[in-house]
Amino acid sequence: MSNQKASSNFLSDLYLAALTLFSIAVWVISALNFRSEAIDIGFFVVSAAGILFSPYLRIQLPRTKIHFTVSDILIFYILLIYGSGAAVFIGTLEMLYMSINFRRRGVIKTNKTILVNVTIVAISTYLTASMLNLVFVPEQIIAEETIAGFGGMLIFMAGMQFLGTSLCISLREALRAEKPFGTFWEVWFKYCVNVLVMFIAASLITGLLIKAHTQLNSILFLLAFGVSALVYMTYRRYVDDVRVTSAKAEQAERERAEQAERHVEELQHHIAEQDRIGQALRESKEKFRHAAFHDSLTDLPNRNLFMETLKFALEKSRHDKKFKFAVLFLDINRFKTINDSLGHSMGDRLILHVARRLAGAVRDKDLVARFSGDEFAFILNNVRDVEDAMQFADRIKDKISEPFSLTGKQVFTSFSIGIAMGGAEYEAAEDVLRDADIAMYHAKDGEKDYVVFDQNMHIRAVTLLQLETDLRTAIERDELVMYYQPIINLDSMQLFGFESLIRWNHPTRGLVPPSEFIPVSEQTGFIIPLTLWVLRTSCEQMVKWQRKNPANKNLVVSVNLSGKHFAQKNLVEQIQTILAETGIKPSCVKLELTESAVMENAESVIAMMKQIRDLGIQLSIDDFGTGYSSLSYLHRFPINTLKVDRSFVNTMEDGTENGEIVRTVIALAKTLRLDVIAEGIETIHQLHQLRILGCEYGQGYLFSRPVPAAEAEKLIEDKSRFANTVPHNGLPIPTVEVSNLQLIKQSTH
Ligand code: C2E
Ligand code: MG
Ligand code: MG
């Protein structure tokens, strides 16, 4: 490739050298042929004007490559008027001047090009002049007045000049190209044909000028020249305008093209952007889909995915009678305590560890999901019978009973599992899960690792649910009634007050005892409005009785307070409001709390109890002896009274363990300066014993069952009623010496 280039460079250099040599010869011959006698002032004027103006007097025909230059006209004119020698010199000079000028303007780049231009002009002018003189006698033809002869000569001259110039140029281009022959013809046709037109035009104009000059006198010629110059200038202006317009059009076209290109680019960018957004959307859709079906903490399937899978299993069991599956519902025991004591992040960590162990315990075809908090659920596919599910629960037990190591701390957990066998007998997936959930609650209540669901559980659960629903409307429907059981001062055998005990007058079930609905209300939170209602009703009732008769002004009403209230921050204010609104004396109100209620969160409960005491209200510990009272705490509780549980009183016989317990409680109360109320006094014998032991107050069927307000009112009015319970000469009430206190054991009733 580079060889070829080198050789073509060499050839073109050789060609240039040949041209130079030939043109030197031409200049020498021309100098010899120079007809100095023909030279006149006109020669200098025309030559100088032509040479000086030629670089500027070039017109391109619009939308063609054809240029009219003054130089060709000048050469032809000099040739025809002053002979070939003058034409070669003036042509050479003119071309040299024009080329130098163009070089300065940057149109021509190298000196070589200048040399080529100059030599080609010299040679072609010389050849044209030689051929013209060979064929014609120019002076003669000019002098003759035949247009044909003159025209023919002009065209011949133009043709010769064209041939000389075009062949020389084409040859040069061909020598510089890789394929010289092809290039020669290509260049010749492409560029030089235009030049022919130009030469003919220049030649004809020259003819016209010569004719004008010979036929007009000088003044007329100058006038014609002036007009021609004017026409020329106008044309030039027109051409310039056309050029400017076409340049503008081209510019506009270019801008349009660029704009279109920009639009295409923008469009491509837009499409790429759309693609990117589409991709991002697809990815986020995938993420959302994953998030919709997975738990964010453990990445286990969540309830949604579990339910979908469960529905699928149920559907399968309908089509394939052999297919059985089991659903297990797992709840970590005392997770709330772990969470509260170790903090929520530790709680989360524990859940994560449990989740990993559970995930490791299931087979590929099974599913473990996390519901919320500490609840997990499993679907075991293709189990043979309930035994399989139980074995699985055992396996889970082994896995979870290993301690968890949470940032250096060893944490032990236990759990409760409910198992429900799934099959075609179930209508909806939710039902299978519900049954496993019910069984789980049974496991929790019974403190078992797992319990398998049976239909009775469902019936009980439904009844409970119904009760719960009914209870919500019980207050508005006026179905709740307060019963009052008298509390007797065992010393004076006078009425001391009443314990308010709630009853539910159920529209279909009749009178429902509190043991059936208080636990439900505690679970559902309904206990809060319920107790407030009880307190308000009881206080209102007691105020009525007190206002009726001044003798009743110190009667006390006892209201049972559930432990759940201590979770309520505004308990004290609520009680205060009721006191204020009912106008009861605070000292006539007593609140009964069970041991378990005060022992849970003892510190915070003590603080609240103090605030209640500060209101002037009395406090007593109910069912004392059945809970987990710690004696070390007992003296710190701001209480007034201990109520000995009726299970001890009912069965107290001389010398029995329960008799001892009652005796000890009374002695303990005396040491702590507390009153004692014995609950559940049913026999006169029990009453006697309690009086002997120095028990201040008593309550029980012996005096009265809990009764509605109207009946309680009768009890208030009948002042001698309770005194009649014991013989008039009543037994002396001895004082009991307590030397040492015994620990109260948990009741075994
Ligand atoms: P409690 O506070 O220990 O109430 C005493 C219970 O013993 C009452 O049962 C009463 O009828 C019963 N009783 C009284 N004397 C005798 C007796 O001589 N023999 C026997 N066998 N029983 C006797 P009741 O009314 O069924 O209440 C049961 C429990 O329900 C109450 O035990 C109390 O813990 C709860 N309770 C009742 N009303 C309310 C209430 O308004 N609010 C709250 N939080 N709990 C209530
Ligand atoms: Mg009570
Ligand atoms: Mg009680």
Side-chain angles (χ1 to χ4, degrees), residues 62-74:
R63 297 179 219 291
T64 67
K65 288 200 175 292
I66 301 171
H67 288 87
F68 281 112
T69 56
V70 175
S71 46
D72 299 320
I73 300 171
L74 177 71

Side-chain angles (χ1 to χ4, degrees), residues 80-234:
L80 291 179
I81 303 296
Y82 300 102
S84 69
V88 168
F89 276 114
I90 292 303
T92 307
L93 261 180
E94 187 274 342
M95 181 52 85
L96 188 64
Y97 177 75
M98 188 164 71
S99 297
I100 289 169
N101 193 297
F102 280 3
R103 171 98 208 254
R104 233 180 268 141
R105 288 199 245 157
V107 181
I108 290 175
K109 301 230 160 24
T110 62
N111 289 335
K112 261 189 200 174
T113 314
I114 298 176
L115 189 60
V116 169
N117 288 350
V118 169
T119 51
I120 288 176
V121 164
I123 292 166
S124 60
T125 308
Y126 174 73
L127 289 176
T128 305
S130 302
M131 292 310 288
L132 191 74
N133 288 330
L134 206 71
V135 179
F136 301 96
V137 185
E139 302 88 38
Q140 202 178 332
I141 290 185
I142 292 167
E144 281 170 9
E145 296 229 330
T146 54
I147 294 291
F150 188 56
M153 183 184 71
L154 289 176
I155 293 192
F156 178 82
M157 181 173 69
M160 282 300 116
Q161 187 72 350
F162 161 71
L163 272 179
T165 311
S166 66
L167 288 176
C168 286
I169 290 173
S170 301
L171 195 60
R172 179 162 191 250
E173 293 301 318
L175 287 175
R176 292 190 331 172
E178 282 171 26
K179 292 178 189 164
F181 195 71
T183 309
F184 178 85
W185 289 114
E186 199 183 305
V187 174
W188 199 76
F189 276 118
K190 199 167 169 192
Y191 299 110
C192 300
V193 173
N194 292 334
V195 177
L196 174 63
V197 179
M198 186 186 82
F199 280 131
I200 290 172
S203 162
L204 291 178
I205 291 170
T206 310
L208 281 175
L209 283 173
I210 289 171
K211 277 287 162 203
H213 183 61
T214 50
Q215 289 183 8
L216 301 173
N217 62 34
S218 292
I219 294 180
L220 267 177
F221 177 75
L222 277 177
L223 233 130
F225 191 80
V227 171
S228 304
L230 211 72
V231 170
Y232 169 78
M233 296 305 275
T234 314

Side-chain angles (χ1 to χ4, degrees), residues 36 42 68 142 144 152 163 187 192 351 364 394 416 434 443 454 498 564 575 581 584 596 631 657:
S36 49
F68 281 112
I142 292 167
E144 281 170 9
L163 272 179
V187 174
C192 300
I351 292 289
D364 282 350
D394 279 326
S416 309
R434 177 204 61 207
D454 71 53
F498 292 95
K564 300 282 171 207
I575 295 173
E581 285 176 6
I584 196 165
S596 48
L631 290 183
E657 195 182 66

